[in-house]
Amino acid sequence: MAEAERIIGTPDTPDAAGDGQERPEAEQERTPEQAPERPRAKRRVAVLFAVAVVAYLLDLGSKMLVVAKLEHHEPIEIIGDWLRLAAIRNAGAAFGFGEAFTIIFTVIAAAVIVVIARLARKLRSLPWAIALGLLLGGALGNLTDRIFRAPGVFEGAVVDFIAPKHFAVFNLADSAIVCGGILIVILSFRGLDPDGTVHKD
């Protein structure tokens, strides 16, 4: 009897374990490789929204301060006449362009926010998270003005106040958008995709 059991094999031996015991072992082998992906993605999305929130709050706070303290007052000179703070209302796009298309720019800003939110699901790159966060925060900042400021919903004028000499007046949201856009161009030239893969043309 003992000899027969030795030849056939007992259930405790690896050969006789069958599929019921091999599958969990195979799953355990795959888990260490797959597990880091989700936490990594969550961290990148957290960075994106953290950057967006900081950019948005800085823009919102600066505009509230400008409206309360600077609007209808003389400009404040920071570096002579080379850099001044001067409150203006801008119905156009960034840096005062296209004032006749306020509603169109509002729709574009809303579309940018939706695209960034969808792209965040496959985000794995930290630089891309920062770039998209800047874009998101800037777009939200100016979109808030479009919705809530005069002359009406979706037609509101954006508050601009940073006035360099020989240049258009802009705000912190515009700066965040431009910085995010420049960073995206750099990342694209370097071949880095939002999902973290690197390719060379």
Side-chain angles (χ1 to χ4, degrees):
M1 184 67 178
E3 184 65 19
E5 290 180 354
R6 186 184 65 80
I7 295 174
I8 296 174
T10 62
D12 294 331
T13 60
D15 294 336
D19 293 339
Q21 295 183 7
E22 290 180 355
R23 287 175 184 168
E25 183 178 351
E27 291 174 1
Q28 291 175 1
E29 291 176 356
R30 289 194 299 267
T31 301
E33 298 177 359
Q34 297 174 351
E37 289 300 321
R38 288 183 179 178
R40 182 184 178 188
K42 290 181 178 179
R43 287 195 296 268
R44 298 299 180 259
V45 172
V47 170
L48 187 158
F49 286 110
V51 172
V53 168
V54 171
Y56 176 74
L57 291 179
L58 287 176
D59 178 68
L60 182 63
S62 64
K63 289 174 179 175
M64 293 175 64
L65 186 62
V66 165
V67 171
K69 302 295 184 180
L70 188 58
E71 199 167 34
H72 308 304
H73 292 78
E74 290 296 320
I76 299 176
E77 293 186 350
I78 303 299
I79 307 177
D81 61 347
W82 289 95
L83 179 62
R84 302 186 302 167
L85 300 181
I88 67 167
R89 298 294 181 112
N90 171 25
F95 307 110
F97 298 115
E99 294 188 3
F101 304 98
T102 305
I103 295 180
I104 295 177
F105 293 131
T106 303
V107 173
I108 292 174
V112 168
I113 293 170
V114 172
V115 170
I116 293 174
R118 291 177 61 88
L119 187 60
R121 295 182 298 178
K122 59 178 181 180
L123 187 62
R124 301 293 185 278
S125 167
L126 179 60
W128 269 96
I130 296 173
L132 293 177
L134 290 171
L135 282 180
L136 181 59
L140 284 171
N142 284 338
L143 184 61
T144 300
D145 284 356
R146 305 288 188 194
I147 295 175
F148 295 105
R149 295 193 188 277
V153 178
F154 300 120
E155 297 181 351
V158 173
V159 175
D160 290 335
F161 58 93
I162 304 173
K165 187 177 182 180
H166 304 310
F167 196 74
V169 184
F170 59 96
N171 56 42
L172 295 184
D174 298 332
S175 301
I177 291 171
V178 171
C179 290
I182 292 174
L183 182 54
I184 287 175
V185 171
I186 294 173
L187 295 174
S188 299
F189 272 113
R190 295 184 61 184
L192 180 61
D193 291 336
D195 62 1
T197 59
V198 179
H199 60 84
K200 295 182 179 179
D201 297 333

